[in-house]
Every structure is written in C-alpha cells, then in structure tokens.
Amino acid sequence: MGGAVSAGEDNDDLIDNLKEAYYIRSDLVERAFRAIDRADYYLDEYRDNAYKDLAWRHGNIHLSAPCIYSEVMEALDLHPGLSFLNLGSGTGYLSTMVGLILGPFGVNHGIELHADVIEYAYQKLDSFIKTSDSFDKFEFCEPSFVVGNCLEIPPESRQYDRVYCGAGVQKEHEDYMKNLLKVGGILVMPLEEKLTKITRTGPNSWETKKIISVSFAPLALPKHNTNGKPKSVPLPKYEVRTLQELARICIRHTLRVTTDGGDSQSRGRGSSFSVGRGLAVAGLHKYGPRFKRRRVHRRHCNALVLATRQVVASSGIGPAPLDSNNNQGGRAEDEEEAGEREARRQMRGSRRAGRGAGAVVVEEEETVEEEDEEEEQEQQQEEQQEEEEEKETGELLRPQPAVNVLRERILGLPLPEPLKMYLLYYREK
C-alpha cells in the first residue's frame, strides 16, 4: 500500500509532499513527522527507499507507507495526556511520533507479536533518545512494548483513550477491539479493506467512519496452550513516576519555556506540560522558518511655516510606537539604513524647495513604500549573487542549525555533573 505521493529527497521533502497531497493536515502531526527521520527506522542497506511512499518489510520488520501513517495520526486526534495502545507496534516508529504529542503525563503502550521486532524497536527508541536533535524540543512520552498476540488481552484489562491496530481486523473481532476503548475514545484499524475510525460515544454506542481503502495482512490468530486454554498477554504496567523523575520533567520544562521567551502557552489542547513551546519557535523545517524583516512605518507630520514670501516645510518625527517586545520600533532599523533614508528625504525636500519661491507644498502623510521597494530590489540582488556563488562553488548555502539551548542551559547549572547528565537523559552531544 502506498505510492500516493512522490518520493522525497529527504524526510522534510517527503513531509512536504504529504502536506501537498493533504494527507498531513494539522501542524501538530506535521511537527511530529518532521521530528523523526523515517530512514532511521530502516536497516542501513535499505535507507535509500525510506522517503518513498511505500510500505517496507524485511523479515518480521515492517513499516507501513507514509500516507497510511499520516491518515492514522490525523484520525487519532491526539493531544497531551491521553493513553494510547498500539496493536502490532512493530519498529516503534508510530509509537515514538505519538509520544511526542502525548507529553510526559500520557500513556504509550504497544504489543508486538515478534520478540526480535521488540528488540529492534527498543534499539531505535534508545537511539532517538540518546542522539536525536528533536528529543530536547519535545516533552516525550516514552513507549513501552510487550511481546504477545493482541487478541489475547485479558477482558479485565484497562481501557485506552486511543487505540490503533496495524493489521487487518476480521469482522468477528470488531467488538473485541471496541471494548479496548474508553468512552469518548477513538479506535483506528483496517476493517474490511478500509481504514476505519470508530469513536465510542457511550457505553454501548459507536460512530464509524471509513477513511481510505487499504490492504493489510490479517491479524495472526492466537495459538492455544497444550491444555487447550488460550494464552493471556498482560499489558505493559502503568507505573507512577518517582519524585526524581517528576523533578527532571519540571526542571527541563522550566528551562525550555525560559529559553523560548517565557511564554508557557503551548499549541493545541492540554496544559503547559504538553508539547512545549519549543515546537513553535523551532519551526517546521529542519533549518527553521524564514522571517521577513519587520517594516516600521512612521508618520511624518509636516507643518507649514510661512516666512515673508518663502514657505518652509519642516518635518517633525515623533517617537515610534512600541513593538511586541517593548522595544521602540525605530531600533528595528539599523543606523546605516536610517541614515540613507534621511538623506533621501533631504534630497526630496531640496527638490521641492527649488520649485520656486511662493510655491506652497502641502504634504499629508508619508509612508516608506519607496524605501520598501528599494529594499526588496536590494534583497533580490543579494539572492541573485548568492545563487551565482552557489553555481561557482557547487555548494548550497544554508543557515547553520540552531544551537541546542536547552542543553547549554542544563550544562550551565551549578549542579554536580552526574545530576546534569541525569537531566540530559545521558544524551550524547
């Protein structure tokens, strides 16, 4: 299944294609997809195929097509603090993306049929936590996996807010899957060749929506023990966090919010301990968004002064309004640009004065539209020069990746080194 969008050159390019095809529709899902490189979950010899919109399988290891994962993430309607169960968790790629949205106080569980795939998933999870630049930009809900058949979950087990099944569900198992949900929960699964979203609206009421046509391998049926009784697969344990773990979460959250400018409001639903404002300021692309220079418009109030047979036009520029950072708007322009603009105004004033004595010039309100046009022309010339330099050197001029400010702040704390490393989750630089 897949092939709905063009292949990308890298992970960001693949996500751009998924957005353009409207598989990814929300900012929260987009940020999660950009934060985790799909190629990291491939074996090294198959990484060249990672950015194609195709499913991949090698032995027991399997990844669905990117367009399928996009539809699943959108249909789950995730937000911080929810509980999530992934049936057929595989490599852990989907569970890790979900964990970026659930935040530190969510629940992130998975069941996988094959023990070797569980081992592979934990290797990839450990690599993400220890080496990924994205880890410090999110408040993460680490997934836990158990080996077993998802059709052998005891009926008295806990229920979840969100459930996804990564294998084709037979019609006779539909009610079994529904009972894994809390009231108000959402179940997404392949049912009768359709990716289906089921919402539990009450103890015995459901809403069903077909999303897209899919083709999944069917669920493996459980095998009975020698005594004829079915096996029972216990779900991962839900353990209350220790005070030490809670302190680490709070310290990292406080440093992250301080780094981002003191605004603790995160996007989407949930408390301030959700996704962290680092998502907002980090931008959607790996190298961050391109910001346009703020243009400050001044009002030039010109008083007309009549002196004998000559008219003198004098300009009085009042203080500019304060911007959102409580800095005067005039400071947004550097001194050189301000000097050039003043020189141009003086030239225009001298031309007006030279029109002859007795000529009365009445000026209402002036803006800096001419200056803006000149700036845009200068920027276009600079871009053309950069393109020429790129052609000559054969190198792509890109801004340098941002420094991990959270890490720098933790290392700068007056704490013992072992405690700093604990706050850093023992991550490599």
Side-chain angles (χ1 to χ4, degrees):
M1 184 67 194
V5 300
S6 301
E9 295 181 0
D10 56 21
N11 195 65
D12 278 331
D13 197 24
L14 173 62
I15 307 311
D16 289 340
N17 294 338
L18 291 169
K19 280 193 65 182
E20 185 177 352
Y22 207 61
Y23 284 101
I24 293 179
R25 299 178 288 277
S26 65
D27 289 344
L28 200 58
V29 171
E30 180 186 353
R31 290 195 292 272
F33 268 87
R34 291 196 189 278
I36 299 179
D37 196 325
R38 180 176 167 89
D40 292 341
Y41 288 79
Y42 276 65
L43 295 172
D44 289 341
E45 58 267 33
Y46 298 101
R47 285 178 66 95
D48 291 342
N49 298 321
Y51 306 123
K52 297 177 181 178
D53 187 32
L54 297 172
W56 172 70
R57 179 180 292 278
H58 181 79
N60 292 327
I61 301 172
H62 175 262
L63 280 168
S64 295
C67 66
I68 300 298
Y69 283 135
S70 303
E71 288 288 3
V72 170
M73 290 283 285
E74 293 288 355
L76 286 171
D77 189 23
L78 298 163
H79 52 88
L82 294 179
S83 57
F84 172 67
L85 177 62
N86 189 354
L87 305 175
S89 52
T91 64
Y93 172 65
L94 178 66
S95 294
T96 303
M97 286 195 293
V98 169
L100 298 178
I101 299 177
L102 297 183
F105 302 117
V107 176
N108 193 355
H109 291 168
I111 299 178
E112 169 56 41
L113 188 61
H114 304 286
D116 60 326
V117 179
I118 290 280
E119 182 180 356
Y120 185 85
Y122 274 122
Q123 290 175 359
K124 296 302 179 182
L125 175 62
D126 183 67
S127 176
F128 170 74
I129 293 174
K130 294 291 180 62
T131 64
S132 174
D133 292 336
S134 299
F135 181 79
D136 285 334
K137 298 176 183 177
F138 294 76
E139 290 170 342
F140 184 51
C141 181
E142 185 173 336
S144 298
F145 307 112
V146 294
V147 179
N149 190 307
C150 63
L151 293 176
E152 297 177 329
I153 300 173
E156 66 275 9
S157 297
R158 71 177 66 89
Q159 295 175 318
Y160 291 80
D161 297 304
R162 301 290 187 268
V163 178
Y164 170 66
C165 182
V169 177
Q170 297 87 345
K171 188 65 177 178
E172 59 266 27
H173 296 131
E174 179 180 356
D175 290 339
Y176 172 89
M177 294 293 177
K178 288 180 178 179
N179 288 327
L180 296 172
L181 276 183
K182 294 179 180 179
V183 174
I186 295 174
L187 165 66
V188 179
M189 62 180 179
L191 181 66
E192 297 180 321
E193 302 299 316
K194 298 283 186 181
L195 188 65
T196 305
K197 175 180 178 179
I198 299 176
T199 304
R200 188 168 192 170
T201 57
N204 299 300
S205 58
W206 317 83
E207 289 182 358
T208 301
K209 178 184 178 182
K210 303 293 184 182
I211 303 174
I212 56 173
S213 297
V214 293
S215 177
F216 276 71
L219 276 174
L221 297 178
K223 297 179 180 179
H224 292 275
N225 289 326
T226 54
N227 58 8
K229 295 182 180 180
K231 297 179 181 179
S232 179
V233 178
L235 292 169
K237 294 181 179 180
Y238 178 73
E239 298 180 356
V240 178
R241 292 185 181 274
T242 65
L243 183 60
Q244 181 174 332
E245 290 174 325
L246 292 173
R248 174 166 63 178
I249 291 170
C250 291
I251 292 171
R252 286 174 61 90
H253 172 80
T254 301
L255 291 175
R256 183 183 290 106
V257 171
T258 304
T259 299
D260 294 339
D263 184 0
S264 64
Q265 296 298 324
S266 61
R267 293 189 177 187
R269 291 169 285 184
S271 65
S272 58
F273 281 103
S274 54
V275 188
R277 192 170 176 268
L279 286 175
V281 298
L284 302 180
H285 286 276
K286 165 170 27 175
Y287 293 99
R290 295 181 62 185
F291 294 98
K292 293 183 180 180
R293 181 184 301 173
R294 180 186 293 115
R295 304 190 185 282
V296 181
H297 294 268
R298 290 196 180 94
R299 302 167 72 96
H300 301 279
C301 302
N302 296 282
L304 297 178
V305 181
L306 295 175
T308 61
R309 289 180 297 177
Q310 242 180 344
V311 178
V312 179
S314 61
S315 299
I317 302 176
L322 297 180
D323 62 16
S324 59
N325 293 322
N326 291 330
N327 295 319
Q328 289 194 354
R331 296 176 185 174
E333 303 170 342
D334 56 39
E335 295 179 359
E336 183 178 353
E337 290 179 348
E340 292 177 355
R341 291 182 178 178
E342 183 62 27
R344 287 195 290 269
R345 283 196 290 270
Q346 291 177 0
M347 290 177 64
R348 289 198 298 271
S350 62
R351 286 198 296 268
R352 295 187 190 106
R355 293 175 185 172
V360 178
V361 181
V362 179
E363 296 182 6
E364 296 178 351
E365 225 179 60
E366 288 185 359
T367 63
V368 289
E369 293 180 357
E370 295 179 2
E371 286 84 347
D372 290 346
E373 292 177 359
E374 293 177 5
E375 284 183 1
E376 290 176 1
Q377 292 176 357
E378 292 175 359
Q379 290 175 0
Q380 290 176 358
Q381 292 176 357
E382 291 176 359
E383 290 176 358
Q384 291 176 356
Q385 291 177 358
E386 289 179 357
E387 290 178 359
E388 292 175 358
E389 291 177 1
E390 290 173 11
K391 291 178 181 179
E392 292 176 0
T393 61
E395 297 178 355
L396 181 63
L397 299 179
R398 283 185 173 179
Q400 295 297 320
V403 176
N404 189 334
V405 183
L406 176 61
R407 182 183 182 88
E408 296 300 320
R409 283 182 175 271
I410 291 175
L411 292 176
L413 294 174
L415 298 173
E417 288 301 318
L419 185 52
K420 291 181 183 179
M421 293 308 298
Y422 177 75
L423 290 174
L424 291 170
Y425 285 83
Y426 304 98
R427 285 167 47 79
E428 300 173 6
K429 187 174 181 180

